[in-house]
Amino acid sequence: MQHLYKIVFLFIIGFSAEAQELLSLEDAVKIALENNYDIKISENNSKINATNNSLANAGMLPSLNANFNNNNTELNTTQTQGDGTVRQLDGAKNMNLSYGVGLDWTIFDGLSMFARKEQLNVLEQQGKAELQAAILTKISDVYLTYFDLVQQQQVLASIDTAIIISNQRLTTAQNRFSIGKASKLEVLNAQVDLNSDLSLLLRQKEQYKIAKIRMNELLIRDIQTDFKVANEVTFEQNLDYNELQATAEKQNPQLQSQILTKKIADLNLKQVKGNRYPTVRLTSGYNFTRSEASLGFITQSSGQGFVYGVTATVPIFNGFLQNKNEKAAKYQVENAGLLLEQQKLSLTSKLSSLFTSYQTNLELIKVEEKNLEIAKQNLDITMAKFKIGTITTIEFRTAQQNFVEASVRYSNAQYVTKLSEINLKELAGTLKLN
């Protein structure tokens, strides 16, 4: 059994030491920008908005169509002339043929076309804001997952250290037992504690592997791709709340998108109001005509040439729908304004909460760093006393566990601080994308 535990331990340590690709944060972000499905979909949606932003979609350009009409009849016809003469023909054939090119152009519609064009411009801008929001969200996920892996690597290192100490303790207990200075119980307790540490390491490796799978999913690559990440977490300790808030008001994608939504509602109201004014259309074309009749004064005729005209439509009454449509559009404008104010308040609230957590966590890192130093000193002293047999195994185990717990708390404090920093930069729209 003793050899079995040593084999398991060596396997775990060997697994950790395998050669792995070092995935830097910059590389992870670059791969995500190139591959992530949500980013690609948002890019295509932005391109759709840009494609739709045209004079034609705004209704500002004429339409040109080719026309062809061919009507034929075959009738039993009776005609009474002015002098009383009656003419009759069974199966009289008549044909009317026309073809040509026609142009139709709305030159005035109450300025609605200009409001539609401006609305298309805003929709294009909104598409870009939504793309930026999608990019920031996914890159933030990459950041958070990356530093989660860093934190878990640090926890693994702490547990590895605990296992090394537990092995030393087991070896010491066995040596003491062999010379009659310790009981079998001390050896068994050391073995049980080592097994607990090995079990803890296996669980931690499981979490670490799952986090790797999540990272590979974000990078859209084989989920079994193995890699390692950096070992340290760096912080930006000089973030200023006022600067973050000012930047967020200008760059936060969600806020910018809501501002554009308000503009779209305003422009929609302009379009609805434009229905109160006349609509003026120009028509023009070049036509060819031909007709044939089996009975009548003219049995055949043809012609060709330009046709043109002007059509004006003035709305007078439509069952009060115009007033209702304008009222509904005004409510939409009001709702858009309320949602904008709500978004601003939500943004300020999130910034304030995250900044408070950020400042608290920076202080917490200092506290946990000191705790880790004390726990390390305590463990060193305890280990030295244990080797000469002046303390109990329970005291030794307590010191060992305190060291591991202090290491984990320190790593977690670093991760939580980094998480606050990343979320603050995401809200401000300043998260680095390269």
Side-chain angles (χ1 to χ4, degrees):
M1 184 63 69
Q2 172 69 26
H3 293 296
L4 176 60
Y5 287 124
K6 287 186 176 180
I7 291 172
V8 172
F9 175 71
L10 292 174
F11 170 76
I12 294 171
I13 298 300
F15 180 82
S16 302
E18 289 180 359
Q20 297 173 331
E21 167 203 357
L22 175 61
L23 179 67
S24 68
L25 179 60
E26 292 76 13
D27 288 340
V29 170
K30 180 180 178 181
I31 295 171
L33 287 173
E34 292 175 351
N35 298 341
N36 189 268
Y37 293 131
D38 289 339
I39 293 176
K40 287 184 176 181
I41 291 172
S42 296
E43 285 177 345
N44 286 336
N45 288 336
S46 180
K47 291 176 182 178
I48 290 172
N49 288 332
T51 302
N52 289 336
N53 185 11
S54 65
L55 295 176
N57 273 339
M60 303 176 74
L61 297 180
S63 61
L64 186 64
N65 300 292
N67 304 303
F68 178 85
N69 291 291
N70 185 10
N71 298 313
N72 296 273
T73 61
E74 187 171 341
L75 303 171
N76 296 329
T77 305
T78 299
Q79 294 182 350
T80 301
Q81 306 295 320
D83 58 0
T85 304
V86 177
R87 301 177 65 188
Q88 184 174 353
L89 180 64
D90 292 339
K93 296 181 179 180
N94 296 281
M95 184 270 288
N96 289 287
L97 173 67
S98 65
Y99 57 93
V101 178
L103 180 143
D104 192 350
W105 191 0
T106 301
I107 60 173
F108 182 78
D109 62 352
L111 303 179
S112 292
M113 65 177 70
F114 296 99
R116 281 195 296 272
K117 182 62 177 72
E118 189 174 352
Q119 191 177 62
L120 290 172
N121 291 337
V122 175
L123 284 171
E124 183 178 356
Q125 296 174 32
Q126 190 176 48
K128 293 178 180 178
E130 290 172 353
L131 171 60
Q132 185 69 10
I135 290 174
L136 281 175
T137 297
K138 286 304 168 185
I139 298 308
S140 175
D141 289 343
V142 171
Y143 270 72
L144 296 176
T145 305
Y146 189 91
F147 286 108
D148 180 36
L149 284 167
V150 173
Q151 188 253 356
Q152 292 199 43
Q153 277 188 174
Q154 293 174 344
V155 173
L156 282 171
S158 299
I159 298 175
D160 282 339
T161 301
I163 290 175
I164 293 172
I165 296 171
S166 292
N167 268 286
Q168 292 176 352
R169 173 189 165 194
L170 178 59
T171 301
T172 301
Q174 289 172 334
N175 292 336
R176 286 160 56 87
F177 174 72
S178 64
I179 61 177
K181 289 189 176 182
S183 66
K184 183 65 175 178
L185 182 61
E186 182 177 323
V187 176
L188 294 176
N189 285 334
Q191 186 70 71
V192 169
D193 290 338
L194 174 60
N195 294 345
S196 298
D197 293 340
L198 289 172
S199 176
L200 183 62
L201 182 62
L202 288 172
R203 289 295 183 186
Q204 182 59 37
K205 282 187 175 292
E206 177 188 6
Q207 295 182 27
Y208 184 56
K209 180 64 175 178
I210 292 173
K212 280 188 175 182
I213 292 173
R214 170 59 179 157
M215 175 62 85
N216 285 327
E217 179 187 2
L218 288 171
L219 303 186
I220 314 300
R221 62 182 189 177
D222 185 354
I223 59 173
Q224 299 301 328
T225 301
D226 202 8
F227 62 92
K228 60 181 179 180
V229 295
N231 292 320
E232 296 182 356
V233 180
T234 57
F235 310 97
E236 189 170 338
Q237 301 189 24
N238 298 317
L239 293 179
D240 181 83
Y241 177 78
N242 293 328
E243 290 181 3
L244 287 169
Q245 186 175 30
T247 304
E249 289 175 357
K250 297 177 181 178
Q251 297 183 189
N252 180 266
Q254 288 81 11
L255 179 59
Q256 296 308 309
S257 179
Q258 193 58 52
I259 290 173
L260 294 172
T261 298
K262 174 65 167 57
K263 289 183 179 179
I264 290 172
D266 291 335
L267 292 168
N268 182 64
L269 177 59
K270 284 186 179 181
Q271 292 182 58
V272 173
K273 287 182 176 180
N275 293 331
R276 287 186 176 275
Y277 299 94
T279 299
V280 181
R281 295 169 51 240
L282 292 180
T283 58
S284 180
Y286 194 89
N287 290 336
F288 297 85
T289 62
R290 178 181 175 81
S291 64
E292 296 180 0
S294 299
L295 185 67
F297 291 106
I298 301 175
T299 59
Q300 187 179 64
S301 68
S302 62
Q304 66 182 62
F306 286 102
V307 294
Y308 51 88
V310 177
T311 302
T313 303
V314 181
I316 297 176
F317 179 74
N318 64 351
F320 304 109
L321 287 178
Q322 180 63 32
N323 290 337
K324 293 179 180 179
N325 291 338
E326 287 187 19
K327 184 178 292 185
K330 288 178 181 177
Y331 286 139
Q332 291 176 350
V333 170
E334 184 178 350
N335 284 342
L338 293 173
L339 288 172
L340 178 57
E341 293 304 315
Q342 183 183 49
Q343 184 69 35
K344 289 180 179 179
L345 180 61
S346 176
L347 178 60
T348 301
S349 175
K350 289 178 181 178
L351 276 173
S352 181
S353 298
L354 284 171
F355 193 78
T356 300
S357 297
Y358 165 75
Q359 289 180 310
T360 301
N361 290 328
L362 282 176
E363 294 300 319
L364 188 60
I365 286 177
K366 297 176 183 178
V367 173
E368 295 299 346
E369 187 176 16
K370 290 180 181 178
N371 286 339
L372 180 58
E373 291 176 0
I374 294 171
K376 179 65 171 64
Q377 292 176 8
N378 183 51
L379 179 62
D380 292 339
I381 295 171
T382 303
M383 183 178 293
K385 288 185 177 181
F386 178 76
K387 288 180 179 180
I388 61 177
T390 58
I391 63 171
T392 65
T393 56
I394 295 177
E395 291 176 311
F396 179 85
R397 182 62 175 174
T398 300
Q400 181 186 18
Q401 289 178 331
N402 287 341
F403 171 73
V404 174
E405 291 172 1
S407 298
V408 172
R409 287 200 309 272
Y410 179 56
S411 298
N412 188 63
Q414 289 180 308
Y415 171 68
V416 173
T417 304
K418 193 64 180 180
L419 186 148
S420 299
E421 177 190 321
I422 292 169
N423 287 332
L424 281 170
K425 290 182 177 180
E426 181 185 358
L427 286 176
T430 58
L431 200 60
K432 291 183 179 179
L433 305 182
N434 51 44

